[in-house]
Each structure stands twice: as C-alpha cells, then as structure tokens.
Amino acid sequence: MSKIQAFKFIISSEAPPIAIELVTKSIAAMHGWKEIDYLFRVEIMQESVIYQDILHQGEQRGEHQEASKYTLRLLNRRFGEIDSLIIERLQVLSTEQLEGLGEAFLDFSNVSDLVAWLEQNTSI
C-alpha cells in the first residue's frame, strides 16, 4: 500500500478520531511525514482552552476596531470631519456602546445630537 493509499484509507475510515490520529502518527514516524505530525500538533493546540481564549480575545478586539472605524466613517460622511475631542470620546466606547451609537445615529440631525448621546451614554 502506498503512502497516499494509506492516508486515503485512514481519512475515509469510520474509526474514532484518536485511532485515526495514532495510526496517522505511526505512518508519519515510519515514513517521515513531518507535515502530518505538524498538522496534528496544530490541530491539538487549536482545541486547547488557552488557544481558544486567545483567539476569542483577538476576535473581540478585531470586532471593536471594525465597529469603531465604521462608526467614525458614518459620522464623517454625515457631518463632515469630526472634532478630535469627539473622536477621543468615541475611541473609548465599548463595542456594545458603538453598536448603540450606530442605531441612535439614524436619528441624529447634527453633531450636537452626537455630543448629547455621548454625554448620556458615557462617563467621560
């Protein structure tokens, strides 16, 4: 049986995942398939609680940055360039606050509505 045939057999097998992993690692050790061993290490790492926590934090940070950029783009488009003091106040808003601002924004007529919203919804 060739390496490729063996690998295809293992992948198509209905064996439990741990058995597939052990057999694949054995084949990798015998035939020098370092990339298979690497993939299993990465897969195991990705299932760890620490990895999942780091990934979740990164996703939250990315969502916040995108919400912040999008909100600022909307405000600049409607009201022109926003004053730097207002931008500073916007930068400290949480993702949830930015989402709330995005909804309230639809009712704003001018920048003073934005300032009033910030005063009511922030502690700065």
Side-chain angles (χ1 to χ4, degrees):
M1 180 181 286
S2 74
K3 292 179 187 177
I4 293 176
Q5 288 172 328
F7 192 65
K8 284 182 179 177
F9 173 76
I10 292 166
I11 291 174
S12 66
S13 172
E14 292 183 16
I18 190 69
I20 294 171
E21 179 180 345
L22 291 173
V23 171
T24 305
K25 282 188 170 194
S26 297
I27 292 170
M30 290 186 304
H31 296 286
W33 290 3
K34 294 196 182 288
E35 54 275 352
I36 291 175
D37 192 44
Y38 169 77
L39 289 173
F40 276 113
R41 276 192 241 137
V42 169
E43 183 177 304
I44 290 168
M45 180 186 69
Q46 289 174 337
E47 293 175 4
S48 77
V49 174
I50 294 169
Y51 179 90
Q52 293 298 320
D53 187 48
I54 292 169
L55 183 64
H56 181 69
Q57 288 176 17
E59 288 171 346
Q60 286 181 324
R61 195 172 297 144
E63 288 173 5
H64 182 267
Q65 288 173 344
E66 287 303 311
S68 183
K69 284 178 12 184
Y70 183 69
T71 302
L72 190 55
R73 255 193 344 257
L74 287 175
L75 293 169
N76 280 325
R77 183 164 179 178
R78 169 143 325 145
F79 304 125
E81 190 172 339
I82 302 296
D83 182 82
S84 62
L85 294 174
I86 295 174
I87 292 173
E88 287 178 21
R89 292 181 71 179
L90 292 172
Q91 290 175 337
V92 297
L93 296 177
S94 68
T95 303
E96 293 77 22
Q97 287 174 313
L98 288 168
E99 289 171 357
L101 174 57
E103 291 176 16
F105 166 78
L106 298 172
D107 298 325
F108 292 172
S109 300
N110 51 50
V111 176
S112 63
D113 293 332
L114 170 61
V115 172
W117 186 93
L118 287 169
E119 289 172 1
Q120 291 176 351
N121 292 278
T122 63
S123 57
I124 296 176

